Coordinates of all heavy atoms in Angstrom, one line a residue:
A143 N 32.4 -3.8 9.2 CA 31.0 -3.8 9.7 C 30.4 -5.2 9.7 O 29.6 -5.6 10.5 CB 30.2 -2.8 8.9
V144 N 30.7 -6.0 8.6 CA 30.1 -7.3 8.4 C 31.0 -8.5 8.9 O 30.6 -9.6 8.8 CB 29.6 -7.5 7.0 CG1 28.6 -6.4 6.6 CG2 30.8 -7.6 6.0
G145 N 32.2 -8.1 9.3 CA 33.1 -9.2 9.8 C 33.6 -10.1 8.7 O 33.7 -11.3 8.9
K146 N 34.0 -9.5 7.6 CA 34.6 -10.3 6.5 C 35.8 -9.6 6.0 O 36.0 -8.4 6.3 CB 33.6 -10.4 5.3 CG 32.2 -11.0 5.6 CD 32.2 -12.5 5.5 CE 30.8 -13.0 5.7 NZ 30.8 -14.4 6.0
T147 N 36.6 -10.2 5.1 CA 37.8 -9.5 4.5 C 37.3 -8.7 3.4 O 36.2 -8.9 2.8 CB 38.8 -10.6 4.0 OG1 38.1 -11.2 2.9 CG2 39.2 -11.6 5.0
P148 N 38.0 -7.6 3.1 CA 37.6 -6.8 1.9 C 37.5 -7.6 0.6 O 36.6 -7.3 -0.2 CB 38.8 -5.7 1.8 CG 39.3 -5.6 3.2 CD 39.2 -7.0 3.8
A149 N 38.4 -8.6 0.4 CA 38.3 -9.4 -0.8 C 36.9 -10.2 -0.8 O 36.3 -10.3 -1.9 CB 39.4 -10.4 -0.9
A150 N 36.5 -10.7 0.3 CA 35.3 -11.4 0.4 C 34.1 -10.5 0.2 O 33.1 -10.8 -0.5 CB 35.1 -12.1 1.8
V151 N 34.2 -9.3 0.7 CA 33.1 -8.3 0.5 C 32.9 -7.9 -0.9 O 31.8 -7.8 -1.4 CB 33.4 -7.0 1.4 CG1 32.5 -5.9 1.0 CG2 33.2 -7.3 2.9
R152 N 34.1 -7.8 -1.7 CA 33.9 -7.5 -3.1 C 33.2 -8.6 -3.8 O 32.3 -8.4 -4.7 CB 35.3 -7.4 -3.8 CG 36.0 -6.1 -3.5 CD 37.4 -6.0 -4.0 NE 38.1 -4.9 -3.5 CZ 38.1 -3.6 -4.1 NH1 37.4 -3.5 -5.2 NH2 38.8 -2.6 -3.6
Q153 N 33.5 -9.9 -3.5 CA 32.8 -11.0 -4.1 C 31.3 -11.0 -3.8 O 30.5 -11.3 -4.6 CB 33.4 -12.3 -3.7 CG 34.8 -12.6 -4.4 CD 35.2 -14.0 -4.1 OE1 35.3 -14.4 -2.9 NE2 35.5 -14.8 -5.1
I154 N 31.0 -10.8 -2.5 CA 29.6 -10.7 -2.0 C 28.9 -9.6 -2.8 O 27.7 -9.8 -3.2 CB 29.6 -10.5 -0.5 CG1 30.1 -11.7 0.2 CG2 28.1 -10.2 -0.1 CD1 30.4 -11.5 1.7
K155 N 29.5 -8.5 -2.9 CA 28.9 -7.4 -3.6 C 28.5 -7.7 -5.1 O 27.4 -7.5 -5.6 CB 29.8 -6.1 -3.6 CG 29.1 -4.8 -3.9 CD 28.9 -4.4 -5.3 CE 30.2 -4.2 -6.0 NZ 30.0 -3.3 -7.1

Side-chain angles (χ1 to χ4, degrees):
V144 302
K146 304 271 185 199
T147 65
V151 166
R152 282 175 191 274
Q153 283 190 305
I154 293 166
K155 200 275 295 205

